[in-house]
Amino acid sequence: MSFINYSSREINCKIVYYGPGLCGKTTNLQYVYAKTNPDAKGKMISLATETERTLFFDFLPLSLGEIRGFKTRFHLYTVPGQVFYDASRKLILKGVDGVVFVADSQIERMEANLESMENLRVNLAEHGYDLDRVPFIVQYNKRDLPNAATVEELRRLLNPRGVPDYEAVAPTGVGVFDTLKAVAKGVLQELKKGG
């Protein structure tokens, strides 16, 4: 849920990047961090294991301009993808305003994608959210790999509702900002409805 601070005229929104382990959630944030003007971003915090897998979350605060005289500040989070970190994922989803599901396009990761999508739906429901009502974007990452499934197949399995979706190659930035802009737009539209 967005936090509006009237005295400092700031709107704070929380966007969570969700998906199976090693799908590229952290890589998305690292690319955004590397390409964003230093004045518009805070420090990126990553809690990673020795193998650079996300242990708890990555966090990146980002300013995205003003609406009606209020500064918008987006807090981008990733979740740890590994199955045994479910308690962390639940905690990070608390108060979420928008979700990006980063799918791993590799054919052999399809089951992990489906499990993670179901896990997202269940964990959101525990906080009283419905995935069909939260601003939601799907990103098909790793499109450059030879064993990538077709986009049609990914859409059929992971995006039957037809929410906005993007193809991506996160290390080179393909699709990264398109995804971020789309989820930010969805969050701001929800805010306007509420206001």
Side-chain angles (χ1 to χ4, degrees):
M1 183 99 191
S2 312
F3 174 71
I4 301 175
N5 186 330
Y6 286 93
S7 60
S8 62
R9 301 190 71 76
E10 270 187 11
I11 301 171
N12 289 279
C13 306
K14 182 176 187 179
I15 292 172
V16 175
Y17 283 68
Y18 213 91
L22 297 174
C23 66
K25 301 177 291 294
T26 298
T27 310
N28 264 271
L29 259 65
Q30 286 171 337
Y31 189 84
V32 170
Y33 183 79
K35 297 294 178 186
T36 303
N37 184 329
D39 297 338
K41 67 188 177 189
K43 191 175 179 192
M44 181 165 168
I45 298 167
S46 291
L47 298 175
T49 61
E50 287 170 4
T51 53
E52 295 190 5
R53 299 190 72 168
T54 303
L55 187 60
F56 193 63
F57 62 78
D58 306 301
F59 169 68
L60 173 60
L62 201 63
S63 298
L64 292 182
E66 290 193 2
I67 50 169
R68 294 183 194 166
F70 281 77
K71 285 182 198 162
T72 54
R73 197 179 298 274
F74 285 80
H75 296 177
L76 311 184
Y77 287 85
T78 66
V79 295
Q82 297 92 309
V83 173
F84 45 88
Y85 289 132
D86 197 43
S88 302
R89 284 194 293 277
K90 270 185 209 165
L91 189 65
I92 292 160
L93 280 174
K94 193 174 181 184
V96 71
D97 294 297
V99 178
V100 172
F101 185 86
V102 181
D104 188 327
S105 292
Q106 297 177 91
I107 290 168
E108 56 269 35
R109 296 295 290 159
M110 209 56 71
E111 197 173 320
N113 287 327
L114 289 166
E115 278 175 18
S116 182
M117 184 69 85
E118 183 55 28
N119 178 256
L120 168 63
R121 194 173 285 280
V122 168
N123 283 343
L124 278 174
E126 288 198 15
H127 287 300
Y129 296 107
D130 179 349
L131 183 59
D132 297 340
R133 299 175 65 89
V134 172
F136 179 51
I137 305 292
V138 179
Q139 181 190 82
Y140 309 117
N141 194 25
K142 305 192 181 183
R143 296 307 303 158
D144 56 328
L145 296 183
N147 54 345
T150 64
V151 172
E152 291 72 27
E153 181 70 357
L154 288 159
R155 274 195 185 123
R156 187 178 66 78
L157 291 169
L158 300 169
N159 190 12
R161 200 158 56 92
V163 300
D165 55 6
Y166 295 89
E167 295 183 47
V169 183
T172 61
V174 174
V176 170
F177 276 99
D178 293 332
T179 304
L180 176 59
K181 282 179 198 164
V183 72
K185 186 177 164 191
V187 168
L188 293 175
Q189 280 172 345
E190 280 300 304
L191 265 176
K192 283 178 187 166
K193 276 189 214 167

